[in-house]
Every structure is written in C-alpha cells, then in structure tokens.
Amino acid sequence: MDELPEPSMHKPSIVTSNMSSNGSHPNYTNHPSMPESRATSSPPIFQPMVARTPSSDRFISTASVIMLVVFFLLLRSSAGPFLNPQGEAKKIRTSFFFNATCFLYIWIISVTVVTLIPAFSIHYNGVIAASLFFPMTFVSIAALLIGRFMIRLIFYLLIRCGIIGHQKNGKNQNTKINKNKIVINKNRTFKASSYPIMVAFHRPFRKLSKNAAFLSGILCLLYAHCWSRTLSVFKVSANDGAGAICRATFTPFVRGDNDVGAKEGCIWYFWAVVIFIMTISFAQDEWNGLHVRSDSKSSDKVKIWRGKTNDGEAEGEYEEYDSTDDDSIDDSSHHDVDRKGIPSFSSFLPKTSITDGPKDTQEMVPWLSLFAASSVIDIFLQLKVFGGRVDARAMQSALQRTSINERSANEIDSVMKKDAKDDIDEETKFRFLQEKYRGCIFDYSSKLKKDSDGGFWFDFMADCGDGFNSSYQVARMLAQPKLLAVAQNNENIELPRGQFLVNGGDLAYPDPSVSSYEKRFFRTFEDAMPPPPSFRRSKIATKKPDLPTKGWRHCFHEGVDSDDTKDIHELYKGPSTFIIPGNHDWYDGLATYLRLILCRDWLGGWLMPQQRSYFALKLHQGWWILGMDCALSGDIDVEQYKFFADIATDSIGDEDAVIVVNHEPHWVTDFDVDRQNDEMSEQNMRELMKRHLQGKVRLRLAGDLHHYTRHVPASKSSYRRKRRVSRSRSLSFDASLKSKDKKIGKKDYVEPFVEENRPELIVSGGGGAFMHGTHLYCKNIKVGEERLNYKRVCAYPTENISYLIGSMNLWHFRRRNYRTDWLMALVYFGIVSSLFPLCGIYADYEAFNPDHELGLFVVWSLRKVGSLMWRIITEENASLFWTFVLVLGCIAIQASDNKMNPKLRLMVSCLHGLAHIAAALSCLLFVQSVTEWIVQDDIVNISVVNQHFNGTNLASSLYDEYKQHFSPVLQNFTHPDSSKLAQYYVKQEIMKQENYFMFRRALEFILDSWKWLTTIPLLKTSLSIFDLPGLVAHHHHDICGTLCDNGMECLVTHDKYRFLIIERVAYLKYIVAISLYFVCVAIPFAGGIFGGWLTITSNVFKSQSDLAFSALMVEHWKNFLKLHIKDNGDLEVFAIGLQKVPTNWTKDSKWDGRRTKRQKNNDSPTWSWNRPSKWVPVKNSKSCNPRIVDYTCIRKRRINTSST
C-alpha cells in the first residue's frame, strides 16, 4: 500500500524553550526508548488505519476494563472514611489550619515533582500540563464569576418584570396563596415590588476557587497522560500507547480516518462543558430560591417538636443551631408551591437518609489546639486571679433564704429543736426539712411507678458534654423507655428507663461557656428526648418545678388534680434529672451552671427541679442519694456539711442505706499521687460519713475519669493459706483476675470481702467525653486516713485494650492533632532561624562520605548536629531563646503530672526536648544539603553566565510552554477583532447596517478595557511564586557568594558584618521560601516525637493520663449505670458499656415526633413516646449495641460481725 503524504499539521512539534541548541532537554524524538520508526521522516502512523491489526483498533480491551474496575474499587476503598454507606460524599468539616496545611503540601510536592521531571524523567508532558494549570484556573474563576453575575442580572430582571413567581388563585394543599407575594422557597417570601435580599453571587468564593482549581488539576492530569509531543495530538490508538481513558475520551474528537489523534484545543471543550454545568447548577439554585438570604429575625421560623400547627406550618421560636435539621414541615410541602423555573438535578435523584441527618453537630474537643489553648488561658485567669474569692455554694444558700417565707427561716428551726420533747414523726421532720431547704430535698419513696417486681429504677452518668456522636448516643440510650442490653451470655435483658437521672458533672468541654452548654450538652439531650412545647431557652425559672407543663397532659398519676401545686413533683409521672457540677463547670465560678441548670426547667424531656448545686433524694426501701458539690477544693463547704448533717440526724434511719455521689473519685486520685493524710481531699466529707452517717454509706459514685471501674473492700489475709476469690457478683473482670497461672505473693494476697460496712466504689465517667486509660491507675488502693484496702474487680475497657489504645499516639497523634502543626513549626523554625544558610554543607558531606555509606552518613549527621547545638549555645541568641522555650515547655508539660519521681520527670522532659532539638537540626541539614545539591548538579538554573549550564528555570519554562501551547487559544477569546465581530453581526442580520460604526466603537471600548486588564502580570507573578526551588536556589547561591567571598569561613560560623551588606528583601524572600520546605519536612518529625513521648510516658511510666488520651479524642468505649432497688431492699447496679458509638445518623422514620406533628391536639409528653429519639444510626452494628459489662448486688442492711 502506498504511503500517504505527510500532512504538515502532523509534524512533531519541538519545544523551543526546552529543546534549544544548548541541550536543555534531550531530543525526545530520537530517544532510545521510542520505536525506531518514530524518528523516520515517514512514520507508519500516518498510514491508513486499515493497515493495523484488528486487535489494536479495539476501543477498550477486556484487560483495560478489569484494570479500571480494580482501580475504581481501590479508589473507593481509600475514600471510604469520606463516604457514607450510600456512596455519597460526607460533609467534612475543615478548619483554616487543615486547609492551609493541605495547600502547603500540595504546593510543595507539585513544584518539587515538576522541577525534577526534566532531570530524571522523559515524561516532559508533566511540565507542559503544569503550564496549563494556572491560566486555566484563572480563566475558570473568571468564567464562573461572569456567568453567576449574568444569571443574577437576569434573575433580578425577571423578578422586576413579574415573569417568574406568579401564584395560582386559591389554595394548593396546605399552602396559603398570597397574590401580593412571590414564594421562592419555603419560609422565604418577599414583595413583588422589591428585590429579595440575596447572597452575594461570588459567595462562597473559597469554594468557587477550589472547584476551579480541582477542574484545572483534573484536565492537566488528563493532558499529561494523553498528549503526544511526537504527534502533536492526543493519542487515541493503542499502537501509539493510548490507554482506555485516552481512547474513550478523545476518540469522538477525531474528525477523519487520516487523523491519528485529537487536536490540542479539544481539552477546552471539556473545560467549557464543566463550566457550563456549574453555571447551570448555580442558575437552578437561583431559580429555586436557595440564594435568598434568610432573615434571622423572621417571626415564622419553625420550632421543633411542636404539635400545634397553623395552616400546615409549625409556629413558635426557632433555635440557632436547629435551623438546618428541623423537620416540622413535611417533606411533601417542598412541592406545594407552584413556582416557575427549571427543576434541580437533585430532584431526579433518589433521596438518601444521610441527607436527613443532624446538622451543626460538634466534633470531639481538640484539646491540643489554639482553641483549647485560649480556653486554658481564660480558665487560668478565672482560677488564679478571680477564683477563691467568692464561693458560689455559700451564695446559693444565702440567696435562697430570701425566697423562703418568714416561717421557714425561724419557725422551722424552733420546731425542729423540740423534736426530743414533742416526738415529731419522721414524715413531719422530713417535710420541715423540705421547707427549710427548698429545692434541695426530694421524696421518691412514695412514687407510684414501680416495676413489675415492686422495685425502683434510676440512672447515673457523668462527663457528657463532648462530641455529638458519643454524647448523643449515651443520652439516646438513657431516653429509651426500655433498653435492650446484651448480657455476658449474649442474652438480651430489658432494662427500663430510670425514674430520674443523676448526672455526675462536667456537663460541657472545654470551658463552661453558654455556647458549649447549649451545643454540647442541651442539644444532645433535646434530640434524645424533646422538651415540652412551652420550653423557651431564654426563660429564667423563678418558680420550680415547672409543673403542670403547658402543652402536655396526663403528666400526673390518676386521681391527682394537676392544679394542686402541693408537693406536685412527687405526683409527676415523668423523669427528672439531678445534676452536680464538675471541675469544668466550676471554671467560671459556676456562673453558667447557675444560669442554665438551676434557672432552667428542662433538660430535653427530663425535668430539672433542683435549686442548688447539691441535693438529697429519699428513695424506696430506705435508700438515700446524697449529691455533693466538691467544687475545685475537693471537699464540701460548711453549708453543705450542715445540710447533710441535718438530713442524717433528722431523716436517715438507723437501717437506711446511703449512696454518696460526687464528681471526682478522690479514692483513686489521692492514692495515685500518694497524698499524705494532711493533704488528702474530702476532709469534711470523711467527717460527715464518720460522725453522722456512721457506716450507712453502701455505695459511692463518681465520674471525672472517663472510664468504668469498680473497687470492693479487701482485707489482708492473716494466714498463708490462699482462699479462692469469689467473683460471682461481677460479669467482667480485669485480665489479671481471670488468670489462674498468676503467682500471688503471700504478703500481697488480698481478697474482696463484705463483712464490714464499707461501701463499694464505682467510677463511671463515660458519658461522652474522650476515653481515659484504665491501665494508668492502680488496682489495689488504700482509701482514707485509715488506709483501708480496696481491690479493683472490673475495668472497662480492660487494661490490655487500654494499653493498645494508648499506643495509638505513636502513629495517630499528628493525624488527630493537625492543629498543633503550626505551633510546632513555629518552634522548630525558631530554633534554626539563626543558622540559615549553611553554606558548603553538601560539599562537606561529600568530602566526609564520598561513597555515600550509611554508617558514615550517621556519623556525619551526629557530628553536625552536635556542632550546631554548640553553635546555638555560644553564638546564636535567637535560636538559643527558642531552644529554652522548647525545653521549658517540655519540663512544664511533664511536671503537670506528678506521678513520676521529680528526678525522673526532669530527665524524661530533658530527653524529650533534646529529641525535638536534634530533629529540628537534622531537618535543617537535610533541607540545606538538598538546596546545594540541586544547584551543584544543575537541577535548577540560577542566574550565572555559564552557557553550558544544563539546569532549568521552572517559572520561565512554564511560561514559555504556555505561550507556545495555550496562549493562542486564550488570545483568540480575550483579544477579538472588533471590526470582524461587527461585520459578522451585520452579515448574520443580528444588527442593522446603520448601527455598524456605533457598535464597532462600543466593542473597541470594551475590548480595550479588557486588554488593559490582561496586561496585569498575574500569570508571571503566580509562576514566580510557584517556583520555590528556583527562588531558594537563586537566593542561597547569592547569599552564600557574599558570605563566603574571598575564602571566608561560612559553614561553622557567619561573619555578622557580611550579613549587613546582604539585601534585606532578598534575604527575607529566601527565609520565607526555605521555611516552607523546612516546615513540610519538620512537622512530621515533631508530631512523631511528641506522639512517641506520650506513648512512652503513658504505657511505660503510667503518667500523662489526661494529655495522652485527650490527644487521641477517642469517642468510643462509653458507659453509664442503671440502678435497681429490689423489693427486698438490695441494690442492683448494671454497668452498661458502649464499645463503639455510631458516627452517621439519620432521622428516625418511626420517630413519634413526626406522628404527633401530623396529629392535631396531640399533647402527649415526649417521655411517653415509644421512640422519643430523633436520630438513629444509619447502619446498625453489633459493636454499637449496649452491653452489660459489670453487675453487682449491694445489700442494704449492715451485717453485725466481729471485726477480723
């Protein structure tokens, strides 16, 4: 077959800027890796397509399809954490730190790769594609802004002319029609004679820029993969090396059989299509009213959980953070309004439940961040400057006495003093105490609601106000009328909801601000069980309890008049909650707690009747709960002491049993830090229990430590014979108790026993906050001044699991605490700031290790790090300052936990700081060595007169490639000929001939203005900033040339006077550019060292429990308690564990809140609903099911036995 003549358009293009006579780049057309036929004058690719074998013309091969499927599965697997089960992208919350870090790494990696491609790779397409990125990004942003602006003008014009938004007469289902208004979307209305208040068309500009950059990046990758510089076309044939993607993408653009590929300009067709789709999407949202700005003061906002409606729409107030997740309007109401416009693409897609999930939820508190650091500063000022001056507990009693009538203050005391003479009955005494301490004492002994066995249930939880997932899951479990928990034998046990909930404090983290309380505490409980319709956040309760409740009926037991306010709380059937403050609640002097807890009536569907931060509850079968507020002093104050002493003397019987609840488990923390008797906490509490309660305390509950543990009394055996330890009362134990082969020393052998009237000690602080490790605290402890022996019989999670979770800091620290990157980067760069530049460092390395042996490399690195440390100590003051800051910071962090010996703490902290200093200096050596290597090996072209220099100036190379490949296309669009354009309009009869000259002059004015805008050197400036390697190498070469002039020593030390002659602007550019590379290299080392230090201190030295586990922000392994008073007076304690908490939520389709909103006059309380919680997990998992991790049964009455 005769060869076809070679078309001129298919001649291989030669990159003039990079393939010049100086040999900047090799001649790729004669490269050995290419077929020999490619270098001939008449290559076979210009022959007819029929000359090829049929297999080469297959559009997509089977192997390509398999590879594409495998690639897609791998890509989706790697993107799994960012997708929900339906395959849709999650809305990932990113902060400024995350965006800045990602931008920096993408910039550094991309510019480094593009710089190294010409020197180490034949794939020069990457450089050509990189030259397309910036102009395409700028053009994309401009096109999107212009398109949005034109759509906004058209939208305003159509509104002004009354073309869109007309309503039909009459009613359309549940929607009222008003002819004087135009409804753009639900709850968004405006008058036809005025323009709506719209969101600016360029907002959000950051998202618009991201979309433009993402589009440009994808098209650049496609260009680099499919472009053939030999053919000057996009490859479409397998014989030319075109893959399945290139063939599927560019084959439709091949015009004839003689064409071997698609022209270069077709890449802009893909760009135009995507820009058009993005513009149309904006127009859809514009037409559907999604860009109409909501009025924050609108009176028709929706209030969730409201049963009353008016013409189909709910009424009432609307809370700030609930606006996006409200469901008070039916989904069908979206289509009730007859508006003209095009439907959105999303209307044709099936709705998934994930879009119906909660909005504006809070993540786990990032303790190691600037946000938490600001909170720490506020807390420090409040505690050290203002704290200790006024005790809010004393103010509570003083303020409450003013609200008690005259008789309560004086006559009650006088009547109680006549107790011995007049023989006042116990019920009267109790009522007098209730009147005296109003809002502090509550009677549950006469509650009518009991279980089928005649018992009584209540719940306990603590430390709840952290991330939404964990806090809401615990609140959701507590809100269920009947909770199905999995026992140890995998059987389901039904546990009813408690008659009340005791909260052990720490309601919100990290500080007790109003925002933290509302978003992290109240929000979770309100979603778990909604409050009554009359609930208002701004309401200040002046009379507690808020009963009867407006909007709820059938809240009292049958036969009780709801208008009778006498002891009305005792007649209330619904659940209540009693809350003591924790240490985090005291950081503002208890101000937020007083306002939002003591002056508010409802926590979701739980009633809050208490009026002080401490309380007493009288329960069935002679049980009592005493909730004590220990503040930050670790003890109760005198007012509380008197309060509980009065109750113990006048109401608690000799055979009654007491449960003491306080926030911090001092029995663990005091022993953990080895406090002496005079330093121990709870001095007043111990006096109260020893003098007034006298052995009646059978159980102590606390939180603060975010795990579950239970200690039981133990006795030292007075004999050597080992007795078997009974474990029948617990369902799970530490691994050490399960082991039968463990050798127990004769002197250290202890066993649990119940002969004495000592309480069991339970810590349950897993209400939602990050998990604390259980392996960091001792199993055998001594409690109180008497040093009574206690043995830990259960821990959740177990020590082995806790140990493994603590080890996660080694590789998870930086990923979970990326907000600390910039702080570490600042300190690291401060340490090396005085050492730049290290002139001649790479030559020194080659002289020491010419063969690049690993051992000599390590020796050289250690020697240089040591010499640089000595230089910092002797010469560099700025670096010495930052070094001291780092070392002192490490010492201060280590000293915050006093478990370790002081000398050991000092040694570990110094080693920690030394590791950071050595890492910073090592990163400096690496960055400076690479800088001199790219100059010495001609990787980067610097301004030298050597004509045979083989390096490349990246900025100029990218600009030259842009001018050759892409500038003509953009110039045809941005610089059109006004006369030709006007003649074209006349020829197409779009414009009359008499208007030709006027239209031409108008076009000339517009185009001249556009040409003036295009003269701004935006592209050149961007490319110059992008070229970091060239900037670093150029200024490093010039600065070192000045410092090392005339053979001056410039590696070990610098001549300070020579620094004065260096241009300040040039040195500043060099420092800024080199710091970016240094930060990218140093940050991973800093995070790894800090995470390794946390792992060692927590797992080896059993220290830094707070810092090590708060850095991990583990939201799983939660727990709470359900307690049951049996008919015989015994107390059962069920410890409920949640190994994992769900992270994806959707609205419950069977939620009773939806049903009640559709049913008018439905005023049933939310605590009577079968499904009171608004959100349910998207996917149910066995690991998320509640499990009974521990069980104990505590006898009420004392056993009189002889002491052992």
Side-chain angles (χ1 to χ4, degrees), residues 61-82:
S61 63
T62 305
S64 299
V65 173
I66 296 175
M67 292 302 297
L68 283 175
V69 172
V70 172
F71 176 76
F72 172 77
L73 293 177
L74 291 176
L75 181 62
R76 194 189 185 286
S77 177
S78 62
F82 307 99

Side-chain angles (χ1 to χ4, degrees), residues 889-958:
C890 293
I891 294 175
I893 293 175
Q894 190 70 55
S896 61
D897 195 327
N898 53 2
K899 290 184 180 181
M900 299 169 58
N901 182 276
K903 294 183 179 179
L904 182 60
R905 286 204 306 265
L906 181 61
M907 183 184 69
V908 172
S909 58
C910 290
L911 290 176
H912 181 204
L914 184 63
H916 282 293
I917 297 171
L921 297 177
S922 300
C923 294
L924 171 67
L925 291 175
F926 174 79
V927 172
Q928 292 288 270
S929 298
V930 171
T931 301
E932 295 197 346
W933 167 68
I934 62 176
V935 175
Q936 180 175 326
D937 286 13
D938 299 344
I939 304 299
V940 174
N941 187 8
I942 57 178
S943 54
V944 294
V945 296
N946 186 1
Q947 297 295 328
H948 300 285
F949 196 83
N950 294 325
T952 176
N953 189 341
L954 181 61
S956 61
S957 298
L958 293 178

Side-chain angles (χ1 to χ4, degrees), residues 600-617:
R600 184 174 284 188
D601 294 309
W602 296 95
L603 173 64
W606 287 269
L607 179 68
M608 294 193 297
Q610 72 183 95
Q611 301 182 35
R612 295 193 191 181
S613 60
Y614 47 90
F615 55 85
L617 307 178

